[in-house]
Amino acid sequence: MFLTNLSKLKKLSVPFKPKLSPLSFLSTHPENQPHQELALNHQQQSICITNRSYWTKKIHDLCTKHRNVDEALRLLDHLRLRGYLPDSLNLSSIIHGLCDANRFNEAHQRLIIFLTSLCVPDERTCNVLVARLLHSKDPFRTLNVIHRLIEFKPEFVPSLINYNRLIDQFCSVSLPNVAHRMLYDMINRGHCPSIVSYTTLVNGYCKIGEISDAYKLFDEMPEWGVVPNSLSYSLLIRGVLRKRDIERGTELMHVLFQRMRYEEDQSVNSAAFANLVDCLCREGLFNEVFMIAEEMPQGNRVNVDFAYGHLIDSLYTEGMKKVLVKDYVSKKNGFPALSRPM
DNA sequence: CTAGGGTTAG
């Protein structure tokens, strides 16, 4: 024990030695300076704080090239004490740096701090920053930032895609009601919801079993000139089948295959087809799957290789699950495990 | 050549 601890100590003490050496303080070569001392660099002390482009680049380089946001923040604090007012470029560098380092809580917090010191970026930058904050998958926090942005910049309108991503994130934490409010928010701020907005919400309600709310959305879509696409139907079917409403599910399958016929976006058809096959397999409705495999009701609206590939894939995956469950149940009941051929 | 910068449903 002692020996190992001692040897650990010895090993640990080695890298610290050079730093403790008084000689290191004599070094004036910038490359020999540890990062922590950059803010106090003598050469930089003499650079005027009005040289904004110099400091902006410095802060940006610290956040990107050196991946050292903390040093950038320290430098910014230092400059602020000398009367420098951070601008939206500095703000942008810092927020991007924090997001790159996966420090999303700080990124949200820091953006609000910048706002309260009246550093408010332009519309485009606001949307770029919101887009980055959305990677945190913390919709409440990001929504709070959006509210603060609007507070300081009343004309700010989050982009349609940012709204849609926010809707998706509220749905994925099982809060489609909150997501639905986002839809009305975006309408109030002048957006026309897109098919992505509505399909996301349909899926959100289906995931928590609120099928009737999902249905209501199909009535609401035309008010905004939105036409449900094959993926919208496919996701609704998933919700309906999960409720074991086979009759309504098969009914909707016909609607889906009709809709596929005039779907312009082939990738939407592929996604809709894949989702349908997946949930049919998961629900054990193999007859329907075999019907699809034989009759191919999607015709040439889905790439044939993709369709067969996905059918085989889903059947195989579900089949393996069944085998595993069977194996588990038989073991549990005391049956000997399957003997393997030598 | 005035800095930099994100993109959704499955």
Side-chain angles (χ1 to χ4, degrees):
Chain A
M1 277 287 257
F2 259 117
L3 272 176
T4 52
N5 279 344
L6 257 176
S7 60
K8 263 185 201 166
L9 262 175
K10 265 187 187 169
K11 269 184 197 164
L12 276 173
S13 67
V14 173
F16 290 130
K17 258 191 178 167
K19 275 198 178 177
L20 293 171
S21 153
L23 285 176
S24 67
F25 294 111
L26 293 175
S27 164
T28 50
H29 208 276
E31 274 154 4
N32 291 343
Q33 298 267 348
H35 277 313
Q36 286 72 14
E37 289 173 34
L38 278 177
L40 305 169
N41 190 317
H42 280 288
Q43 290 175 336
Q44 290 175 8
Q45 285 278 3
S46 60
I47 294 167
C48 189
I49 56 150
T50 53
N51 192 348
R52 192 169 276 284
S53 63
Y54 174 83
W55 295 115
T56 298
K57 183 165 169 25
K58 193 89 215 159
I59 290 166
H60 191 249
D61 284 351
L62 279 172
C63 291
T64 54
K65 245 199 318 221
H66 301 278
R67 303 204 150 260
N68 191 346
V69 199
D70 292 309
E71 185 53 37
L73 283 167
R74 247 192 305 270
L75 175 57
L76 207 51
D77 277 342
H78 194 75
L79 292 172
R80 230 191 307 246
L81 285 175
R82 289 166 62 191
Y84 178 91
L85 285 176
D87 61 15
S88 73
L89 234 48
N90 306 141
L91 172 152
S92 196
S93 302
I94 298 284
I95 304 301
H96 278 289
L98 286 172
C99 290
D100 285 339
N102 268 308
R103 290 160 63 175
F104 289 108
N105 285 356
E106 288 163 81
H108 283 90
Q109 216 173 335
R110 191 59 74 163
L111 178 42
I112 291 169
I113 293 169
F114 273 110
L115 291 177
T116 51
S117 62
L118 299 179
C119 179
V120 186
D122 61 72
E123 173 117 1
R124 165 118 196 259
T125 305
C126 287
N127 270 314
V128 169
L129 295 177
V130 168
R132 297 241 42 198
L133 293 179
L134 280 167
H135 286 286
S136 66
K137 302 274 162 117
D138 189 340
F140 281 108
R141 227 182 264 269
T142 309
L143 179 60
N144 181 43
V145 165
I146 289 174
H147 285 153
R148 300 306 300 266
L149 281 169
I150 291 171
E151 190 181 305
F152 283 94
K153 196 180 174 70
E155 74 280 13
F156 171 59
V157 180
S159 70
L160 174 66
I161 290 177
N162 279 340
Y163 267 120
N164 286 346
R165 289 177 68 190
L166 203 55
I167 288 173
D168 186 46
Q169 292 188 12
F170 278 119
C171 286
S172 61
V173 293
S174 302
L175 289 169
N177 291 315
V178 182
H180 208 153
R181 278 214 296 279
M182 290 298 101
L183 186 96
Y184 294 130
D185 269 13
M186 70 186 249
I187 290 167
N188 285 334
R189 298 197 74 76
H191 277 298
C192 181
S194 70
I195 185 58
V196 176
S197 330
Y198 272 107
T199 305
T200 307
L201 260 185
V202 165
N203 193 30
Y205 278 118
C206 284
K207 275 202 286 201
I208 62 159
E210 302 286 354
I211 310 297
S212 58
D213 287 311
Y215 265 105
K216 276 184 211 153
L217 290 170
F218 282 78
D219 299 329
E220 198 181 306
M221 288 182 212
E223 289 174 34
W224 300 101
V226 176
V227 180
N229 65 19
S230 51
L231 189 55
S232 326
Y233 287 111
S234 186
L235 292 168
L236 177 66
I237 292 170
R238 184 213 283 259
V240 168
L241 289 181
R242 190 168 289 173
K243 289 268 180 186
R244 303 302 301 171
D245 190 345
I246 314 294
E247 198 181 323
R248 192 171 260 189
T250 9
E251 225 173 83
L252 282 166
M253 269 172 54
H254 292 115
V255 180
L256 166 63
F257 287 122
Q258 284 294 316
R259 180 64 186 87
M260 275 185 170
R261 288 193 191 175
Y262 56 97
E263 184 66 66
E264 294 128 25
D265 189 344
Q266 286 275 317
S267 70
V268 172
N269 270 353
S270 301
F273 182 84
N275 175 66
L276 175 73
V277 171
D278 274 349
C279 70
L280 286 173
C281 284
R282 201 173 316 132
E283 299 298 333
L285 300 166
F286 295 108
N287 279 342
E288 300 298 327
V289 183
F290 294 137
M291 181 279 284
I292 290 172
E294 271 169 37
E295 296 175 21
M296 287 285 183
Q298 76 282 5
N300 64 354
R301 310 306 305 167
V302 175
N303 175 283
V304 70
D305 293 330
F306 175 85
Y308 270 115
H310 200 83
L311 279 163
I312 290 165
D313 217 53
S314 289
L315 281 168
Y316 176 77
T317 308
E318 273 315 304
M320 285 312 286
K321 266 191 224 161
K322 293 262 147 49
V323 168
L324 288 173
V325 168
K326 226 165 113 183
D327 196 30
Y328 171 71
V329 169
S330 65
K331 270 182 189 161
K332 217 177 150 189
N333 292 341
F335 290 108
L338 286 172
S339 58
R340 287 166 204 281
M342 292 298 280

